[in-house]
Amino acid sequence: EDQVTQSPEALRLQEGESSSLNCSYTVSGLRGLFWYRQDPGKGPEFLFTLYSAGEEKEKERLKATLTKKESFLHITAPKPEDSATYLCAVRNSGNTPLVFGKGTRLSVIA
Amino acid sequence: DAGVIQSPRHEVTEMGQEVTLRCKPISGHDYLFWYRQTMMRGLELLIYFNNNVPIDDSGMPEDRFSAKMPNASFSTLKIQPSEPRDSAVYFCASSFSQRYNSPLHFGNGTRLTVT
C-alpha cells in the first residue's frame, strides 16, 4: 500500500528564516510526486510535479527536490504570505489516484 | 475557466438527514474524484470516475454514501442517513487523464457539520 508521511506537522518561522519540509514516501514504482499548497477554507492548489530522483523544480521562494525515498520543499527567505498547509502526494506505476500525506502547517511570522 | 465548482460551501444538518453535495468539474476533464479531509486522517479518496463511469469506490465508508455522475459536467455525493462522524470537508477534484504528469484541480470544498 502506498504511504506518504510528512514532517513536521507544523512549523513556525520568522520572516526570512529559511527551512525545509519533508515528504517521505513508500510507493510501488513512483510515477510522480506532487506538491500542493492549501490555504484555509480553500482547496489544494497545485505547485509542482517531480518524476525522478535528482529532479528539482522552483517557483518563487519554493524549491522542491526528489530522492528515491523522500522529497523536500525548501522555502528560502519566507514571507507571511507563504503561510499555508503544504501537501505532498504520490502516484504509482499503476496510475492509481493520488495518495496524500497529512500536510505541514507552515506559519511565517513578520 | 472557473475551475472546479462545489456547492454548497457549508452544510449543517441533523443526524439522520440526507445530505447532497454537488460538483461541476473543469470542462474537458475526463476524471473526477471525491476526497474527504479531516484533521485526523488528512485527505482520503472516496470514489473516482472516468468518463462518467465509477472506477473505484473502495474508499466509500459504507452504504450510506453514494455518488453519481450523470454527465460530464455534474456529479453528486449523497449521504443518507448522515451521522456526526461524517463531519468533514468534502472536496471534488478533476483532471485531464490520469497520466503521470496530470495534476488534480480541486474545488474549494463543502464543509459538512452533522449535529
Side-chain angles (χ1 to χ4, degrees):
Chain A
E1 181 180 332
D2 300 340
Q3 289 190 335
V4 179
T5 303
Q6 292 188 245
S7 62
E9 289 186 11
L11 180 63
R12 186 181 173 97
L13 299 173
Q14 293 292 321
E15 184 173 3
E17 179 186 3
S18 302
S19 187
S20 296
L21 313 182
N22 177 264
C23 170
S24 298
Y25 62 88
T26 304
V27 65
S28 55
L30 181 71
R31 292 303 300 274
L33 186 140
F34 298 74
W35 281 98
Y36 283 81
R37 169 188 171 129
Q38 185 175 20
D39 292 302
K42 299 287 184 66
E45 178 184 351
F46 171 69
L47 291 173
F48 306 110
T49 308
L50 302 167
Y51 303 114
S52 57
E55 187 175 2
E56 298 182 352
K57 292 273 181 75
E58 287 190 61
K59 181 178 181 180
E60 296 182 0
R61 294 175 292 282
L62 301 177
K63 183 170 78 173
T65 61
L66 182 64
T67 72
K68 289 186 177 180
K69 294 183 178 180
E70 56 193 350
S71 177
F72 292 93
L73 185 64
H74 307 277
I75 303 176
T76 302
K79 298 182 177 181
E81 53 262 42
D82 295 322
S83 298
T85 295
Y86 291 86
L87 297 166
C88 168
V90 297
R91 175 173 287 148
N92 67 26
S93 59
N95 246 355
T96 53
L98 297 185
V99 174
F100 283 83
K102 293 184 179 180
T104 294
R105 293 190 311 278
L106 174 66
S107 298
V108 182
I109 311 302
Chain B
D1 198 318
V4 176
I5 299 173
Q6 292 187 246
S7 64
R9 287 299 314 277
H10 302 275
E11 178 78 47
V12 180
T13 191
E14 293 183 347
M15 182 174 62
Q17 296 299 305
E18 178 180 295
V19 175
T20 299
L21 311 181
R22 297 173 175 81
C23 175
K24 175 179 169 57
I26 293 173
S27 177
H29 282 190
D30 54 354
Y31 279 87
L32 184 139
F33 305 82
W34 283 99
Y35 281 86
R36 178 170 69 176
Q37 187 176 43
T38 61
M39 288 292 292
M40 288 292 293
R41 302 173 69 91
L43 269 170
E44 300 175 283
L45 179 67
L46 300 177
I47 184 171
Y48 75 100
F49 297 81
N50 178 217
N51 291 322
N52 313 336
V53 176
I55 302 301
D56 184 354
D57 66 354
S58 60
M60 298 284 259
E62 47 198 274
D63 292 344
R64 298 184 296 106
F65 286 68
S66 62
K68 294 182 180 180
M69 192 166 186
N71 57 61
S73 59
F74 184 66
S75 177
T76 60
L77 178 67
K78 185 177 293 186
I79 308 173
Q80 166 63 21
S82 58
E83 296 183 2
R85 59 185 167 142
D86 301 331
S87 297
V89 181
Y90 291 80
F91 287 102
C92 176
S94 68
S95 70
F96 178 58
S97 89
Q98 203 160 252
R99 297 192 305 265
Y100 63 94
N101 61 348
S102 179
L104 302 186
H105 298 266
F106 284 82
N108 283 326
T110 295
R111 180 175 295 277
L112 174 64
T113 302
V114 183
T115 60

